[in-house]
Amino acid sequence: MDKIRLLQMRKKQIMDVGKDIRKDINALIDDDSFVELSAFSFSKNDFYGDEAEGEGVVTGFATVCDYPFYIVAQNSAVLSGGVSKANCEKIAKCIDQAEKTSTPVIYFLSSLGVQIGEGVNVLEGLASLILKASQLKGTVPQYLIVDGEVYGQIAVLAGLCDFTFFIDKKSALAANSPLVISAKSGKNVDKFQIGGAEGLNKTNLVSFTVKNLAEVKDKIVKINELLSSAVIDSNELNKSIAALDKNADYKSLLSVFDKDSYLEVGATCAPEVKCLIGRIGGISTAVVIFDGGQGVSLNSLNVRKIKDFAEFACCYGLPYVTFVNTLGIEANIETNNSLTLKEIGEYVSILDCIDSAKISVVYGKAIGLGYTVFAAKSMGYDYTYAFANAKIALFDDVQGAEIEFADNKNVDKQKLAERYADECSDPVNAAKGGYIDNIIQPSFIKQYLVASLQMLVK
């Protein structure tokens, strides 16, 4: 047999069956930069009697705006993207190379589940793959694109990757088939209601919802620049933010970032807490902003979101800045009987592990546990600042007055509330104890942050 002709036939077969997934890969990477690995691996599915060209997955390395990445792309045209042991082994091999070369990984996932007929073999393959991805976590960034429907155990990868992208009207992710979930739940709901970005708004699995792969590319490049070049020259070192003197809110606080430098991560989950990465005075920084008007009450979901983000900052050595406006733990039965305290405990452990700068800015309220965890000097913050009109107290105004003077029947509770607000909640009281480094005019916060970051960033 003519070996060259055989090679050409095999190559054509691989290209034909993988034309759609290769089109998606090419939409993300630089032209002609993809080098495929293990392209000619074929296995046989005994249950269906079909060959799995390339093991149903395309792997290799490429550049995206000149940054190197390893690429893992499930090919849904091969046995519906069915996961097999060989499929998992090929992906794990690519992850090994990424670890050896300290190169980020981009996954394109599209799979309706495991290949029937493999039995326990595929479960062993999945275990090996999930462990490999877990070991890579925190070493180099892992980006996951839900490139269609992703069902079954392979969905666990979404919980291990640093950033997960959902494409509008295309992406759906679930641990089981949506048909099974719908039937078991006794509800007639479609795949997007179950596994789309909005359907998963309590999972913190959706880092970004995007319109297309061009938007994915833009965000990956921006994140990679932030993580690869921790410090760059900036011409925004002495910028003041006049709007903050009038109204300190989330929108105006975004001005602490250098122009066009920031991204919000996980916007659909616990939106009262904003997690962002961007540059402040040219320094790549992880920032948490409590966006709550009168103050955010803590619960298991928003604390978990903050904890995951703090872990990301810890893994990649980013300075960590928190803009505090929180009332402490939400006072209701549901929150009391939840994982909130457990999540707070784990958050404190992660916070203690952050070696880079830790800065707290009380721009609204820091009440009770909200102060203890997110602003207290004894929690390990390098610098703590408070806006001149901030409130720092053991209790919120009225509640604090009523509790402290509950036994005094002759006291005017309204006057007590006013006295509590004026005298006890002023940040000057915390500053007198050495717990606040400076009380500042809000418009100058960026200058304070830049100066602090320049002193602390290693």
Side-chain angles (χ1 to χ4, degrees):
M1 181 180 287
D2 186 338
K3 294 299 182 71
I4 294 179
R5 187 179 177 186
L6 178 61
L7 174 63
Q8 292 172 337
M9 289 172 59
R10 274 280 173 106
K11 189 171 183 178
K12 184 179 185 304
Q13 184 180 354
I14 291 170
M15 291 299 178
D16 286 345
V17 77
K19 60 183 179 181
D20 290 334
I21 190 58
R22 291 173 195 278
K23 183 179 178 181
D24 285 351
I25 293 172
N26 289 332
L28 200 71
I29 65 173
D30 299 336
D31 291 343
D32 301 320
S33 68
F34 186 60
V35 178
E36 190 166 354
L37 302 173
S38 305
F40 295 98
S41 54
F42 281 66
S43 62
K44 191 88 169 179
N45 184 291
D46 294 330
F47 190 85
Y48 288 109
D50 293 334
E51 282 190 320
E53 297 87 350
E55 308 304 354
V57 63
V58 178
T59 62
F61 55 90
T63 58
V64 181
C65 290
D66 296 326
Y67 286 105
F69 290 88
Y70 275 90
I71 307 291
V72 171
Q74 281 189 306
N75 186 1
S76 59
V78 177
L79 300 174
S80 300
V83 179
S84 66
K85 188 172 187 293
N87 178 291
C88 293
E89 289 172 345
K90 186 173 177 180
I91 297 173
K93 183 180 177 181
C94 190
I95 294 174
D96 275 336
Q97 293 299 315
E99 185 176 25
K100 288 177 183 177
T101 58
S102 297
T103 304
V105 181
I106 298 172
Y107 302 91
F108 291 80
L109 288 194
S110 180
S111 173
L112 298 184
V114 298
Q115 289 186 22
I116 298 174
E118 287 223 347
V120 177
N121 289 327
V122 69
L123 300 182
E124 286 288 343
L126 280 161
S128 175
L129 168 57
I130 291 168
L131 180 62
K132 284 284 183 186
S134 175
Q135 292 168 340
L136 192 64
K137 186 175 176 64
T139 301
V140 294
Q142 296 181 83
Y143 304 87
L144 187 147
I145 303 164
V146 182
D147 196 31
E149 299 174 65
V150 178
Y151 306 139
Q153 294 184 42
I154 196 70
V156 173
L157 276 179
L160 295 172
C161 288
D162 298 288
F163 301 98
T164 304
F165 298 85
F166 277 64
I167 302 171
D168 190 33
K169 298 179 181 178
K170 182 179 181 182
S171 301
L173 180 140
N176 296 284
S177 164
L179 291 175
V180 174
I181 294 174
S182 183
K184 294 258 185 192
S185 303
K187 299 178 180 179
N188 185 19
V189 290
D190 66 25
K191 61 186 178 184
F192 295 115
Q193 290 175 289
I194 291 172
E198 289 300 322
L200 298 175
N201 63 1
K202 293 184 179 180
T203 64
N204 203 28
L205 291 174
V206 185
S207 303
F208 302 103
T209 303
V210 298
K211 294 179 181 178
N212 49 45
L213 289 173
E215 195 175 341
V216 173
K217 181 176 181 177
D218 289 344
K219 284 181 165 51
I220 288 178
V221 170
K222 195 166 189 175
I223 293 167
N224 212 58
E225 287 176 345
L226 286 166
L227 298 181
S228 300
S229 305
V231 182
I232 62 170
D233 291 333
S234 173
N235 59 2
E236 298 192 36
L237 303 184
N238 295 310
K239 180 180 178 182
S240 62
I241 309 166
L244 284 173
D245 286 344
K246 297 178 181 178
N247 182 32
D249 59 9
Y250 169 65
K251 187 175 180 179
S252 54
L253 284 170
L254 291 175
S255 296
V256 301
F257 290 105
D258 299 350
K259 187 178 180 181
D260 299 325
S261 75
Y262 68 87
L263 285 169
E264 183 184 354
V265 182
T268 58
C269 178
E272 69 275 13
V273 172
K274 312 294 188 183
C275 297
L276 306 104
I277 52 175
R279 293 192 186 277
I280 300 176
I283 300 170
S284 296
T285 307
V287 176
V288 172
I289 302 176
F290 287 87
D291 177 27
Q294 294 303 309
V296 173
S297 294
L298 302 174
N299 56 49
S300 59
L301 188 58
N302 57 33
V303 175
R304 176 57 188 263
K305 180 179 178 178
I306 298 169
K307 183 189 80 173
D308 288 348
F309 189 64
E311 184 178 21
F312 165 77
C314 181
C315 286
Y316 296 104
L318 294 177
Y320 184 67
V321 177
T322 307
F323 284 92
V324 181
N325 183 23
T326 179
L327 306 175
I329 294 180
E330 193 169 1
N332 60 38
I333 294 173
E334 181 183 1
T335 303
N336 191 62
N337 186 27
S338 73
L339 294 172
T340 305
L341 290 174
K342 186 78 171 177
E343 298 289 1
I344 289 172
E346 292 178 1
Y347 171 74
V348 170
S349 297
I350 291 169
L351 187 67
D352 187 49
C353 293
I354 295 177
D355 290 330
S356 191
K358 289 178 284 191
I359 300 172
S360 176
V361 180
V362 181
Y363 84 95
K365 296 179 181 180
I367 307 299
L369 192 66
Y371 171 82
T372 303
V373 175
F374 298 104
K377 197 73 173 176
S378 300
M379 190 56 67
Y381 291 99
D382 298 294
Y383 290 112
T384 55
Y385 300 114
F387 285 5
N389 51 358
K391 293 185 178 182
I392 298 173
L394 184 60
F395 304 104
D396 205 1
D397 303 341
V398 176
Q399 180 190 20
E402 290 182 352
I403 290 175
E404 289 195 26
F405 296 93
D407 293 333
N408 192 332
K409 307 295 184 182
N410 299 318
V411 172
D412 186 325
K413 290 186 177 182
Q414 181 59 39
K415 287 185 178 180
L416 281 176
E418 293 171 0
R419 178 170 181 260
Y420 195 93
D422 290 340
E423 297 179 13
C424 299
S425 298
D426 194 309
V428 169
N429 290 289
K432 285 178 180 178
Y435 305 131
I436 299 294
D437 289 296
N438 213 332
I439 301 170
I440 62 176
Q441 185 176 332
S443 58
F444 297 135
I445 182 57
K446 181 163 185 173
Q447 297 170 23
Y448 278 91
L449 286 177
V450 171
S452 302
L453 290 169
Q454 288 178 336
M455 288 296 297
L456 293 169
V457 169
K458 299 176 182 178

